[in-house]
Amino acid sequence: MLRSVILAASRSSQVERLVATAPYSRDVVRRFVAGAATDDALRATRVLVDDGLAVTLDHLGEDTVTPEQATATRDEYLRLLKMLAGAGLTPAAEVSVKLSALGQMFDEELAYDNARAICAAADAAGTTVTLDMEDHTTTDSTLEVLGRLRKDFPSTGAVLQAYLRRTESDCRELAYAGSRVRLCKGAYKEPESVAYQSTREVDRSYVRCMNILMSGDGYPMLATHDPRMIAIGEDRARWFDRGPERFEFQMLYGIRPEEQARLAGEGYTVRTYVPYGDQWYGYLMRRLAERPANLVFFGRALVSKK
Ligand SMILES: Cc1cc2nc3c(=O)[nH]c(=O)nc-3n(C[C@H](O)[C@H](O)[C@H](O)COP(=O)(O)OP(=O)(O)OC[C@H]3O[C@@H](n4cnc5c(N)ncnc54)[C@H](O)[C@@H]3O)c2cc1C
């Protein structure tokens, strides 16, 4: 219920104005977002990489509505990749890209062209791209673009969401050699016709999908903060004899940093997803929807005078 209300608010421009102008929003945003500028993203990446973590960087922005916006997003990624390579931060840092930010909503071919340019730049910089997954209406289109990109850039990563009923089947299709697949639970509000609704069903699906990916031939990227899913991931890594070069854990910037450090300290590959940019509202609201404790923290910061 609370989750639905927050996800509905994530689409409201009135709530966005309220949140953006609240005096202490900035402090809350900083916990989950590296900063507004490319330099902020680079600084955060440097700290994480020095701590032994891998990174994937996301330039915040979604639901782009004009070709000019889509081109600007593409250009920001091209700039970022050049700077990462120049700073010696590749291949430890790669990038995560939302096709909706590249024009998918109004011109799928434009989104493909933009994504292709980013993949080429990542390749030149010695690193990779992962295509984030958005709501279920975009899944087929995103997987189709992924397939086209992989013809020239086979290391392009996919994201599959365990809450979707179709995902076990998608995992089977994508568990082939060289295929990088991030498995997450899923962050959008989806109808029962396409998605499991209860935590228990989603968790069970996550484990089934993890089993398929970890027993397959691809490179699984287990994106979760859930202690149970992480423990099962560690167990499956032992069972299927997957060392740190054959799978990784992924978590979001600012969420369970001690757990990220613990896993890295135990020799696992751990990648932190680092968002940056000024379009943080939708991203922040999805994080709040995931965890009521974050909402309390957020509410306190919004009304606090100090
Ligand atoms: C690297 C990465 C990339 C992602 N990419 C996508 C994407 O492309 N598309 C998409 O739809 N979604 C994406 N997500 C979001 C994902 O789908 C989930 O919404 C999000 O990760 C929350 O699910 P969870 O597995 O962490 O567990 P949840 O079910 O949210 O939480 C389970 C348990 O984890 C622990 N936990 C969770 N958060 C915290 C916290 N803040 N502090 C302490 N403990 C906590 C608690 O014990 C909690 O009970 C991504 C997530 C990650 C980590």
Side-chain angles (χ1 to χ4, degrees), residues 3 31-32 56 96 98 131-135 159-161 163 182-188 199 203 206 222-229 250-252 254-256 271-273 286-287 290-291 294:
R3 180 168 182 269
R31 178 177 155 190
F32 299 107
T56 186
S96 283
K98 283 186 176 51
L131 295 186
D132 282 348
M133 191 59 86
E134 301 176 70
D135 73 72
V159 178
L160 296 177
Q161 299 151 316
Y163 65 14
R182 175 193 300 159
L183 179 65
C184 63
K185 290 190 185 177
Y188 298 81
T199 306
D203 287 358
Y206 193 98
L222 304 179
T224 181
H225 313 98
D226 187 334
R228 284 174 61 224
M229 299 304 127
Q250 297 191 344
M251 292 188 217
L252 302 176
I255 301 191
R256 305 201 69 203
R271 191 176 298 276
T272 308
Y273 183 107
R286 285 197 294 280
R287 301 294 76 80
E290 280 155 15
R291 194 166 160 82
N294 286 342

Side-chain angles (χ1 to χ4, degrees), residues 1-265:
M1 167 67 180
L2 190 57
R3 180 168 182 269
S4 304
V5 171
I6 300 170
L7 287 175
S10 76
R11 298 259 163 212
S12 158
S13 52
Q14 275 164 319
V15 182
E16 178 172 358
R17 259 197 310 279
L18 188 77
V19 171
T21 53
Y24 290 92
S25 279
R26 185 178 289 255
D27 296 339
V28 181
V29 175
R30 278 238 177 93
R31 178 177 155 190
F32 299 107
V33 176
T38 321
D39 281 340
D40 297 325
L42 250 74
R43 256 193 302 278
T45 302
R46 167 70 63 205
V47 171
L48 294 164
V49 169
D50 285 351
D51 283 346
L53 297 162
V55 168
T56 186
L57 282 147
D58 167 34
H59 180 246
L60 291 169
E62 42 203 278
D63 298 347
T64 295
V65 292
T66 67
E68 291 73 25
Q69 285 174 320
T71 307
T73 302
R74 178 200 66 193
D75 291 347
E76 171 57 25
Y77 274 104
L78 301 187
R79 212 162 72 84
L80 171 68
L81 283 159
K82 218 178 234 169
M83 288 170 76
L84 286 171
L89 289 167
T90 53
E94 63 139 37
V95 295
S96 283
V97 173
K98 283 186 176 51
L99 288 180
S100 68
L102 299 178
Q104 185 183 34
M105 294 308 176
F106 56 91
D107 185 347
E108 188 180 299
E109 205 50 31
L110 175 71
Y112 166 73
D113 288 342
N114 285 333
R116 201 177 184 291
I118 295 170
C119 287
D123 195 46
T127 191
T128 49
V129 176
T130 296
L131 295 186
D132 282 348
M133 191 59 86
E134 301 176 70
D135 73 72
H136 81 278
T137 62
T138 66
T139 309
D140 281 329
S141 154
T142 300
L143 291 179
E144 197 202 308
V145 169
L146 174 86
R148 291 172 71 191
L149 292 170
R150 280 188 172 180
K151 289 198 177 112
D152 290 323
F153 305 102
S155 62
T156 308
V159 178
L160 296 177
Q161 299 151 316
Y163 65 14
L164 293 186
R165 297 177 192 275
R166 61 178 283 167
T167 293
E168 265 182 87
S169 151
D170 289 332
C171 284
R172 268 186 215 102
E173 297 240 322
L174 289 179
Y176 58 84
S179 171
R180 297 168 64 244
V181 180
R182 175 193 300 159
L183 179 65
C184 63
K185 290 190 185 177
Y188 298 81
K189 180 164 166 45
E190 299 287 15
E192 193 173 355
S193 53
V194 299
Y196 300 113
Q197 303 293 309
S198 75
T199 306
R200 194 177 147 86
E201 282 179 309
V202 175
D203 287 358
R204 284 181 161 187
S205 170
Y206 193 98
V207 175
R208 289 195 300 273
C209 293
M210 176 161 41
N211 288 341
I212 296 167
L213 295 175
M214 293 293 272
S215 63
D217 294 323
Y219 180 86
M221 304 186 278
L222 304 179
T224 181
H225 313 98
D226 187 334
R228 284 174 61 224
M229 299 304 127
I230 292 169
I232 296 170
E234 290 180 272
D235 177 72
R236 298 305 186 266
R238 280 189 295 273
W239 184 259
F240 295 111
D241 198 22
R242 282 187 178 265
E245 70 297 335
R246 293 189 57 225
F247 90 106
E248 67 189 45
F249 287 110
Q250 297 191 344
M251 292 188 217
L252 302 176
Y253 183 72
I255 301 191
R256 305 201 69 203
E258 303 83 8
E259 178 65 357
Q260 298 183 29
R262 179 190 75 80
L263 288 166

